[in-house]
């Protein structure tokens, strides 16, 4: 099969779901890559790209199916290893951890860390890919 960069892939299943293992970045190298991508996408320096420019580009991509935009993103990041974007109660790996369990944000049903406690997902004892 063909990879996103046009190279042949040994396995069609690698791209079956439209994603594959990408590059590894530190926060600094990811920012440098993202800034270079954004400057190339907009064809000018980052300081001159406004929120309005970004929104217009978004709608151009959405409304023009022929326009291809390739992105890199992180998936399969286990919150037990890397922390979470939502506050937790007692997870020292999470920079948003709130050690006091009385925190309203920590216990909120809108906090995705609490999703398993209120759904049938709490009975699944294995990783779910994707």
């Amino acid at each position: 099969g063909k990879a996103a960069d046009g190279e042949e892939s040994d396995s069609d299943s690698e791209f079956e779901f439209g994603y594959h293992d990408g590059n590894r970045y530190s926060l600094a190298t990811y920012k440098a890559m993202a800034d270079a991508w954004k400057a190339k996408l907009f064809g000018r320096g980052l300081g001159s790209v406004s929120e309005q420019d970004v929104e217009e580009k978004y709608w151009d991509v959405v409304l023009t199916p022929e326009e291809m935009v390739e992105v890199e993103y992180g998936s399969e990041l286990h919150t037990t290893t890397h922390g979470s974007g939502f506050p937790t109660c007692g997870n020292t790996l999470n920079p948003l951890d709130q050690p006091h369990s009385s925190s309203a944000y920590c216990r909120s049903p809108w906090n995705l860390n609490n999703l398993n406690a209120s759904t049938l997902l709490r009975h699944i004892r294995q990783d779910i890919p994707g």
Side-chain angles (χ1 to χ4, degrees):
K2 284 235 185 232
D5 60 6
E7 295 293 318
E8 287 293 322
S9 169
D10 292 336
S11 168
D12 286 336
S13 65
E14 180 181 357
F15 296 96
E16 181 178 353
F17 298 108
Y19 63 91
H20 59 92
D21 287 345
N23 298 317
R24 291 184 177 264
Y25 297 99
S26 68
L27 186 56
T29 59
Y30 185 84
K31 182 179 183 330
M33 179 277 302
D35 287 349
W37 177 87
K38 187 176 177 183
K40 181 179 175 185
L41 181 70
F42 287 97
R44 59 182 185 261
L46 296 179
S48 63
V49 177
S50 69
E51 285 183 31
Q52 181 69 32
D53 294 329
V54 174
E55 184 167 352
E56 287 174 9
K57 185 63 175 173
Y58 169 81
W59 286 111
D60 284 347
V61 170
V62 168
L63 298 172
T64 311
E66 302 81 27
E67 186 167 351
M68 175 105 45
V69 176
E70 201 170 306
V71 298
E72 290 190 49
Y73 66 96
S75 67
E76 303 294 329
L77 297 174
H78 292 274
T79 59
T80 56
T81 305
H82 301 285
S84 170
F86 293 90
T88 54
C89 297
N91 179 354
T92 57
L93 293 172
N94 187 350
L96 299 176
D97 187 65
Q98 299 174 359
H100 305 293
S101 62
S102 61
S103 165
Y105 297 113
C106 182
R107 298 287 177 213
S108 170
W110 290 100
N111 181 332
L112 295 184
N113 288 313
N114 300 329
L115 183 64
N116 285 352
S118 60
T119 70
L120 291 174
L121 292 174
R122 70 181 175 271
H123 299 290
I124 297 175
R125 301 289 180 226
Q126 62 192 35
D127 288 340
I128 301 172

